[in-house]
């Protein structure tokens, strides 16, 4: 019997809510959103046909409150619930509550969720079914010969509750830390250990099963390039599996066995860890849609969300899935600073344009056409990046006839993107996609360690490019001032009857100060480096250097100037000529890099500290962040305590270095 779905509540937020809405609308289904107070103006809320407010900001107050979500569905008259991914998507009690309310659950059976909800029990089930698994180690049984080991949360995922341990003496502390993080993130502090393979390959198989016994292994994905055990680059098919053709059939068979062993229905993913020879072991099964599902959609032509709706309604799958064509690569664009311990960033996203040829949440055409760029994003220009949720801004996906074609196109689109207002990992992603090892398919989980995060995280714009960008910013500012001048606006900037000092403007990019000096004369621009000015307007400057002409797009915001060119994007902070002394900070001040909660303070006033020693621990954006001493010194001030909420820029402590005032 086919069950008709006319209205769906998406129990999620941001990008995945918008993704589900896209398919639901195409199916003629009404879209209902739930939102926290912080998300009230988020794009997905405005796009919904109806929206229900969940009072509060944190996930624990809002999106993790199953009873509030079910009540919202009842109140608005929805007849189905789609959980998205994360939050309650793998919570068996929530799925049961949805069913008990008489609603259609667009997800797997409750029993299947329960059986995979504990990684410890899941591995036992898979071993019994004949799926290869890594041997489990209880924390108490770990010996020096077992090292290194990975401490993992039994519930949940996303890299939280995970620690790599190389020394036996560190194990107890890391278990405690992983358990505390898991308890905070998933409400379950159970952890276990397994052997850690530093150079493994993370391979996963997309499965789709109906209520009539058909189980598809749709295709495999490789997600080996990770940070903090969270995926950064995902692709289909896997370069490793492509190199070892016999491996695909074995993977697919193991994935189907896993799904059949638990009576799985719906879309899910069976994850494996493989070595370079193709031997693989079961890691876990995600009983939901994966973040990286677009690469499977773009190589198979399937709409996996549409099939989730169809399966939940009782429809049958065809006997065989479609064959995969070409290659697709997805990168996760985060608001974060990779060079600074992947620190999440918050603030206003002033401008967000990834490409002029974007298809949102879908291909927008045949995958066999010229490579297209797909963007699945929860933000738009003007969005506020909140401290309460994951720092991912968008998933950027490209399909190509070959892997090399897809990588080159995606790198080029990212390099041209205009992203103003928050620091991102965009330049890192471009460097990964252009790296010879990546292009050769050498993409194991040690990619960052092997090739050096410092080098990969370097900005695309080098020092010379930043200097040119700063000059462009100064010239654009002068052009803006001329056009807005109430009198004599047609005179050249800095015009004098007699020769005078050059115009000066100061900027800071990163931690480096740049002083711009130039003069505009009858003969043109006079600046260091023999730069020729072709044109200067408030939003664009064209410069020529050594016969090479380049355009610089310039956008000025309050306290920020963003310059985009083929040399790389540069964010500049204008330096005030006459700064307010009241705004100056004491030397050695440690500032909160983002809004968050102080969860621990490890020092007291008067303590001597060494450079790099952890002083304060913050929890923000679902992760724990350490604030360390910038140099050897003494803690002169300590302005926070455990449990305190802090805003970005709050002075947490002051470390006084001997010999410095």
């Amino acid at each position: 019997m086919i069950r008709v779905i006319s209205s769906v509540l998406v129990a999620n937020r941001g990008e995945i809510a918008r993704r589900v809405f896209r398919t639901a609308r195409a199916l003629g289904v009404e879209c209902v959103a739930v939102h926290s107070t912080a998300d009230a103006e988020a794009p997905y809320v405005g796009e919904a046909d109806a929206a229900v407010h969940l009072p509060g900001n944190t996930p624990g107050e809002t999106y993790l409150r199953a009873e509030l979500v079910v009540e919202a569905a009842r109140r608005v008259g929805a007849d189905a619930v789609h959980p998205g991914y994360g939050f309650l998507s793998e919570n068996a009690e929530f799925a049961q509550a949805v069913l008990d309310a008489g609603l259609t659950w667009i997800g797997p059976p409750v029993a299947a969720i329960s059986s995979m909800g504990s990684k410890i029990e899941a591995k036992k089930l898979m071993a019994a079914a004949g799926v290869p698994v890594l041997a489990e180690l209880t924390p108490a049984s770990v010996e020096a010969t077992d090292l290194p080991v990975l401490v993992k949360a039994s519930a949940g995922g996303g890299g939280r509750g995970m620690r790599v341990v190389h020394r036996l003496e560190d194990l107890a502390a890391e278990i405690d830390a992983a358990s505390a993080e898991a308890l905070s993130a998933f409400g379950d502090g159970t952890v276990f250990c397994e052997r850690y393979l530093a150079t493994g390959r993370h391979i996963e198989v997309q499965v789709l099963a109906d209520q009539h016994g058909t189980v598809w292994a749709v295709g495999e994905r490789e997600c080996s390039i990770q940070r903090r055990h969270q995926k950064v680059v995902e692709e289909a098919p896997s370069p490793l599996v492509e190199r070892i053709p016999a491996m695909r059939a074995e993977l697919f068979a193991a994935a189907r066995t896993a799904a059949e062993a638990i009576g799985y229905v719906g879309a899910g993913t069976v994850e494996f860890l493989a070595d370079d020879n193709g031997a693989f072991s079961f890691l876990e099964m995600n009983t939901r849609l994966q973040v990286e599902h677009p690469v499977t959609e773009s190589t198979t032509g399937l709409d996996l969300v549409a099939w989730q709706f169809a399966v939940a309604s009782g429809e049958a799958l065809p006997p065989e899935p479609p064959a995969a064509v070409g290659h697709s690569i997805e990168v996760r664009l985060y608001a974060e600073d990779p060079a600074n311990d992947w620190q999440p960033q918050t603030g206003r996203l002033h401008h967000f344009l990834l490409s002029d040829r974007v298809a949102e949440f879908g291909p927008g055409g045949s995958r066999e056409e010229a490579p297209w760029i797909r963007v699945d994003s929860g933000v738009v220009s003007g969005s506020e990046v909140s401290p309460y949720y994951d720092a991912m801004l968008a998933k950027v996906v490209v399909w190509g006839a070959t892997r090399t074609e897809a990588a080159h196109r995606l790198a080029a689109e990212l390099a041209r993107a205009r992203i103003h207002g928050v620091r991102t990992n965009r330049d890192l992603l471009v460097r990964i996609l252009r790296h010879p090892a990546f292009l050769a398919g050498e993409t194991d989980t040690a990619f960052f360690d092997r090739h050096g995060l410092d080098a990969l995280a370097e900005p695309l714009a080098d020092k010379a490019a930043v200097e040119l960008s700063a000059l462009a910013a100064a010239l654009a500012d002068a052009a803006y001032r001329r056009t807005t001048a109430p009198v004599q606006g047609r005179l050249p900037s800095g015009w004098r009857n007699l020769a005078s000092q050059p115009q000066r403007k100061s900027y800071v990019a990163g931690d480096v100060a740049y002083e711009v000096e130039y003069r505009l004369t009858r003969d043109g621009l006079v600046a260091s480096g023999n730069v020729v000015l072709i044109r200067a307007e408030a939003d664009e400057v064209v410069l020529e250097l050594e016969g090479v002409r380049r355009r610089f797009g310039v956008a000025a915001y309050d306290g920020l100037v963003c310059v985009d060119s083929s040399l790389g994007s540069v964010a500049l902070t204008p330096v005030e000529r006459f700064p307010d002394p009241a705004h100056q900070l004491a030397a050695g001040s440690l500032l909160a890099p983002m809004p968050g909660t102080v969860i621990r303070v490890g020092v007291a006033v008067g303590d001597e500290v060494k450079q790099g020693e952890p002083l304060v621990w913050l929890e923000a954006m679902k992760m724990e962040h350490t604030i360390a001493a910038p140099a050897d010194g003494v803690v002169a001030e300590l302005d926070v305590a455990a449990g305190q909420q802090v805003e970005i820029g709050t002075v947490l402590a002051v470390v006084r270095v001997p010999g410095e005032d």
Side-chain angles (χ1 to χ4, degrees), residues 134 197-204 222 224 238 240-241 244 247 251 271-283 444-445:
L134 285 172
L197 302 180
T199 58
R201 308 282 282 248
H202 190 120
I203 314 293
E204 60 189 35
E222 181 160 341
S224 300
S238 156
L240 175 67
V241 178
I244 308 174
M247 185 181 176
L251 274 169
E271 302 196 357
F272 300 93
L273 187 64
D275 64 24
D276 209 46
N277 297 317
F280 60 87
S281 300
F282 173 83
L283 278 178
D444 61 42
T445 52

Side-chain angles (χ1 to χ4, degrees), residues 423 466 470 505-516 559-561 570-576:
R423 186 171 298 180
V466 177
K505 190 81 174 177
S506 298
Y507 300 95
V508 172
D511 297 325
V512 181
Y514 292 85
E515 184 79 21
V516 177
L560 175 69
V561 180
V570 176
L572 301 167
T573 302
V575 177
E576 297 179 29

Side-chain angles (χ1 to χ4, degrees), residues 329 354-358 369-374 396-416 430 433-434 439:
I329 303 174
L354 293 177
S355 174
D356 292 326
R357 293 184 65 245
V358 166
E369 295 174 358
W372 45 265
I373 179 170
R374 166 177 170 174
V396 190
V397 190
V398 158
W399 179 91
T402 67
R403 183 174 185 271
T404 300
E405 180 184 300
H408 287 328
R409 176 61 186 275
L410 182 52
E413 295 285 4
L414 284 167
R416 286 194 289 263
V430 173
L433 293 166
R434 290 175 174 169
L439 294 172

Side-chain angles (χ1 to χ4, degrees), residues 85 218 252 337 361 408 438 505 519 531 637:
Y85 49 69
V218 180
F252 285 11
D337 183 359
F361 307 102
H408 287 328
F438 178 85
K505 190 81 174 177
R519 283 193 297 139
V531 181
E637 297 179 27

Side-chain angles (χ1 to χ4, degrees), residues 558-576:
D558 185 20
L560 175 69
V561 180
C562 296
V563 183
D564 298 292
S565 75
S566 59
L567 298 174
S569 296
V570 176
L572 301 167
T573 302
V575 177
E576 297 179 29

Side-chain angles (χ1 to χ4, degrees), residues 263-433:
Y264 199 79
V265 174
T269 302
V270 187
E271 302 196 357
F272 300 93
L273 187 64
D275 64 24
D276 209 46
N277 297 317
F280 60 87
S281 300
F282 173 83
L283 278 178
E284 62 185 13
M285 183 173 185
N286 294 126
T287 54
R288 53 171 168 79
L289 198 66
Q290 287 282 85
V291 176
E292 56 272 20
H293 75 275
V295 294
T296 297
E297 293 186 325
S298 61
T299 51
T300 62
L302 292 169
D303 182 332
L304 292 173
V305 176
W307 274 111
Q308 285 186 296
F309 276 85
V311 167
S313 297
E315 294 184 28
L317 293 168
E320 296 294 333
V325 176
H327 201 98
S328 183
I329 303 174
E330 169 183 301
V331 293
R332 301 191 191 187
L333 182 68
Y334 283 96
E336 67 182 9
D337 183 359
N340 191 14
D341 196 28
W342 308 100
Q343 191 175 91
Q345 307 291 297
T346 59
R348 176 76 64 181
L349 192 60
H350 297 297
H351 189 61
F352 191 64
L353 177 63
L354 293 177
S355 174
D356 292 326
R357 293 184 65 245
V358 166
E360 287 191 308
F361 307 102
S366 169
R367 65 178 185 273
E368 285 82 5
E369 295 174 358
W372 45 265
I373 179 170
R374 166 177 170 174
V375 176
D376 288 17
S377 176
V379 298
V380 295
S381 295
S383 290
E384 191 76 25
V385 181
S386 162
Y388 301 108
Y389 314 112
D390 188 82
M392 188 175 74
L393 299 177
K395 303 179 314 198
V396 190
V397 190
V398 158
W399 179 91
T402 67
R403 183 174 185 271
T404 300
E405 180 184 300
H408 287 328
R409 176 61 186 275
L410 182 52
E413 295 285 4
L414 284 167
R416 286 194 289 263
R418 295 193 172 193
I419 309 166
H420 301 166
V422 295
R423 186 171 298 180
T424 74
N425 66 336
R426 182 262 304 274
D427 289 7
L428 170 84
L429 297 174
V430 173
R431 290 194 182 277
I432 292 172
L433 293 166

